[in-house]
Amino acid sequence: MFGMIIPWMICIYFFTKEPRLVIMLFPLGATIAFLFNDLGLVQFWTVNPVYLNPSLSIVPYNIGYFPMIAIIFAYVLKKRRIHPFYLVLLFTFVVSFIEYIFLLTGKVVYHTGWNMLWTGITYIVGFGLCLLYIKISSSYRLLTKKETGI
């Protein structure tokens, strides 16, 4: 529900407002999520419920929650005059806090010395990649300054 259904409803809402932004950022958010989660899942963290193939546990988040976060990041970048560096930090803090709630409720379990600091670093890298993608897309006119706020 929280991993895919609600995020998809939010993405559909944003699609009605900013379709190009959603079309450009949804695949990026999913790609970054699959990259990090496939590298870290099982060795550094698990997501409950755990299936025979543990990657299945994170798929709803990879194709729902994380793309939604990338879209919201790009939308806030466009609509608010917040310096991109501070926006990356703000989103890192908020999304890390949400993951901390998942950690407290047992939905996510950390292993092998993984902790919230490492989680925050992965989110900084992920939002940094989103920002880089938005800037490159803007420079090639795939997204305009009006669409990105940059």
Side-chain angles (χ1 to χ4, degrees):
M1 186 89 162
F2 291 107
M4 195 164 114
I5 294 171
I6 293 172
W8 272 55
M9 291 169 42
I10 293 169
C11 288
I12 290 169
Y13 168 76
F14 278 107
F15 185 79
T16 63
K17 294 188 147 304
E18 299 287 340
R20 287 176 55 126
L21 211 58
V22 173
I23 290 168
M24 295 292 293
L25 271 296
F26 192 97
L28 177 72
T31 301
I32 292 170
F34 273 106
L35 174 68
F36 281 114
N37 287 322
D38 282 353
L39 291 174
L41 196 64
V42 179
Q43 182 171 352
F44 295 114
W45 61 83
T46 53
V47 176
N48 292 314
V50 176
Y51 298 106
L52 188 57
N53 178 350
S55 293
L56 292 177
S57 302
I58 197 75
V59 167
Y61 297 96
N62 286 348
I63 62 173
Y65 174 74
F66 291 112
M68 175 198 69
I69 295 298
I71 291 165
I72 293 172
F73 174 80
Y75 187 80
V76 171
L77 182 64
K78 173 190 175 183
K79 292 292 183 183
R80 303 283 182 240
R81 292 292 175 207
I82 300 173
H83 191 277
F85 174 78
Y86 296 120
L87 190 64
V88 167
L89 291 181
L90 174 67
F91 267 74
T92 296
F93 177 76
V94 169
V95 176
S96 294
F97 181 75
I98 292 169
E99 184 158 328
Y100 182 68
I101 292 170
F102 286 143
L103 189 63
L104 290 178
T105 61
K107 188 72 177 159
V108 176
V109 179
Y110 289 164
H111 311 285
T112 322
W114 194 263
N115 56 42
M116 288 305 300
L117 176 64
W118 287 114
T119 296
I121 291 170
T122 61
Y123 285 128
I124 286 174
V125 171
F127 288 122
L129 289 171
C130 280
L131 185 60
L132 179 65
Y133 180 80
I134 291 166
K135 286 187 178 209
I136 291 170
S137 297
S138 181
S139 71
Y140 282 101
R141 294 188 178 107
L142 300 172
L143 291 171
T144 64
K145 284 190 175 196
K146 181 180 175 189
E147 292 170 318
T148 63
I150 297 177

